Every structure is written in structure tokens, then in C-alpha cells.
Amino acid sequence: MNFLALALYLSAAGLLGLRLARGEVVTGSAKIGILSLGLGAVVLHATLLYTRLWQEHGLNLALTPAFSLVACVIAALYLVTSIIRPVDNLGILVMPVAGLTVLVEWLWPGRMSLPLHSSASAVHMVVAILAYSLMCLAAAQSLMLLMQERHLRSKHPGGFIRALPPMQTMESVMFQMIGFGFVLLTLTLISGSFFAEAIFGQPFKFTHHMVLAELAWIVYAVLLIGRWRLGWRGRPAIHWTLGGFALLLLAYFGSKFVLEVILHR
């Protein structure tokens, strides 16, 4: 089942990559076929996660299971978003990474039981994962924007660049993702202060996780204000987006990597 999920993810990414390499916009039956493969991969991925995450005393949210869970949510959000927004191109990044997390989690399963003391703490975790997933999609969109800009500056907009939407549309979608993600990130930070003891075992204590997440919140706040008041776009917006996501990546997975892989805790 792990290899089948990986195969479905890679098949969806491969078909999408072939279409984009020819400069063809993915529409009609081709889009339905690619999304169907992606949906099959996400459903199988979620099924595998369900059997591995739930433990007797809580959730197994060690490094690799947590990474696989977030990747599954990102892939699901990508499929939903691609129905209503022109973000099909993100699949060439999202799908292969999601498939690899299935394999990595299967080969190197971690063990860390995280108890769920209430439905409110469960909601906090769901909101946090959704916030991170949206910001990850926005970061992937910013990378596509960066590639598109470089090709246009060099006056060689060949290959899949021809299949991308206009830069203005790409930027608009990116900021919509950041806007929704920022709201969820704000809710995560507020609710996290109430559930810190239950989730992290440290009531109202500043940790590396909290500090980095708050710095990411500040970066995204500055970016949104800059967009609203100063009309930021292009490379400045891309750099701020990637900077904020880098802080979130360190906050969510950097501390886990240090504790579990380096310190073996």
C-alpha cells in the first residue's frame, strides 16, 4: 500500500509534468484524470496514516509521522484549491514530496505519544496543521513565481512557463493563501498559549518552537501590510514569503529534528 500510494503520487506528478513541459494548460479530461490520481493517492495516504497515528494514549506525532501528516494535508488542500484556482502547476512539487513522505515514514517510523486532553486541544492541532499547510502552498507558489520572473527577465519563457497563469494572477493566489494561512496561524498562536501545558508540557513558557512561530507571524504580518499599504509584489513579496515559511519550518520541524535525531529524546 505504501508503494501504491507513492506510485499514484508520482503518476499524477508525471502526467502533470508532461503537460506543462509541452506548455499546455491542464484542462478538461486531462485535469480530471490527474486530479483523480491525486485523490486516490491522498485517500490511500490518509488511510495509512490513520492506522499509524492513533495510539492507545494519544497521537503518534514523531518527526516522520508528523511530516507525512502535513504532506497529506498539503496534497489534499492542493487538490481542492486546483478546482477553484489556477494552481495545477504546484502539483509537480507537492505530489512527489507527499509520495516520498509516505516512504520515509514507513521506513523510519518514529514513536512519540501526544495525548489529546480535550476536543479543544484537538481543534488547536487541526488549525495549526492547516495554517502550516497553507503557508507551505504559498511558499511553493512563490517559488513558481520566482522561476516565472527569471524566465521572463531573460526573455526565454519556454517550456512549462508558457502554461503558467499571468504573474498578477499567480501573485493574487499566493496572497490569498497567505491571508487565510495568517488567520489560522494567529488562531494557532492564541490557542497554543492556552494548551501549552497539555501539548508541550510547559505552561506559558517561551520555547524555541513558540519564538520561531511568533517571528514567522511577524514576518507574514509585515508582508501583508506591505502588500496592502505599499503594493509589494515581485521579488520582495517572494523573499518575505520564503523567509516566513523558513521560520515556520524551523518552528514545526526544526525543533523535532534536533530533539529526536540529534539529541535522541
Side-chain angles (χ1 to χ4, degrees):
M1 290 181 68
N2 292 281
F3 284 111
L4 178 57
L6 175 62
L8 289 173
Y9 274 126
L10 294 181
S11 297
L15 290 174
L16 180 61
L18 288 175
R19 300 277 300 192
L20 293 177
R22 294 195 294 263
E24 300 175 1
V25 178
V26 182
T27 57
S29 59
K31 182 168 184 173
I32 294 174
I34 292 171
L35 293 182
S36 297
L37 286 172
L39 178 61
V42 168
V43 170
L44 189 54
H45 191 172
T47 303
L48 291 168
L49 282 172
Y50 181 81
T51 61
R52 295 167 180 170
L53 290 179
W54 290 101
Q55 297 181 336
E56 183 179 355
H57 302 292
L59 289 177
N60 176 23
L61 286 182
L63 179 62
T64 54
F67 194 35
S68 184
L69 173 61
V70 170
C72 183
V73 174
I74 291 171
L77 285 176
Y78 158 74
L79 293 176
V80 173
T81 306
S82 64
I83 297 175
I84 57 178
R85 292 290 186 272
V87 295
D88 304 280
N89 50 287
L90 295 183
I92 61 177
L93 295 176
V94 171
M95 293 298 182
V97 172
L100 288 176
T101 64
V102 175
L103 201 59
V104 170
E105 193 274 331
W106 175 54
L107 293 175
W108 294 283
R111 290 292 181 268
M112 187 194 77
S113 182
L114 184 66
L116 293 177
H117 296 277
S118 66
S119 58
S121 61
V123 170
H124 164 79
M125 292 178 57
V126 170
V127 172
I129 291 172
L130 287 174
Y132 181 84
S133 301
L134 277 171
M135 293 310 192
C136 184
L137 282 176
Q141 182 81 338
S142 71
L143 290 175
M144 288 291 178
L145 264 169
L146 188 61
M147 295 176 62
Q148 187 180 32
E149 185 194 42
R150 287 179 176 176
H151 277 76
L152 292 176
R153 282 178 178 271
S154 63
K155 299 181 180 180
H156 295 293
F160 81 97
I161 299 297
R162 290 177 295 153
L164 296 180
M167 286 192 66
Q168 186 175 2
T169 302
M170 297 269 287
E171 283 184 340
S172 176
V173 172
M174 182 184 75
F175 275 102
Q176 288 173 6
M177 292 175 180
I178 294 173
F180 285 117
F182 182 76
V183 173
L184 294 177
L185 182 58
T186 303
L187 294 175
T188 300
L189 293 176
I190 294 173
S191 61
S193 63
F194 292 101
F195 304 121
E197 184 173 9
I199 296 174
F200 303 109
Q202 297 176 319
F204 302 104
K205 182 177 180 180
F206 282 99
T207 62
H208 292 92
H209 169 86
M210 292 178 61
V211 171
L212 289 169
E214 289 170 359
L215 287 175
W217 185 91
I218 292 173
V219 169
Y220 284 121
V222 172
L223 171 61
L224 290 174
I225 293 173
R227 172 72 170 184
W228 173 48
R229 300 292 295 178
L230 304 175
W232 284 2
R233 54 178 307 174
R235 292 200 175 190
I238 293 171
H239 292 159
W240 279 86
T241 301
L242 293 176
F245 180 69
L247 289 169
L248 273 187
L249 187 64
L250 290 174
Y252 278 76
F253 293 108
S255 56
K256 277 184 171 292
F257 179 83
V258 171
L259 290 174
E260 297 181 28
V261 178
I262 299 178
L263 300 179
H264 301 287
R265 294 181 183 178

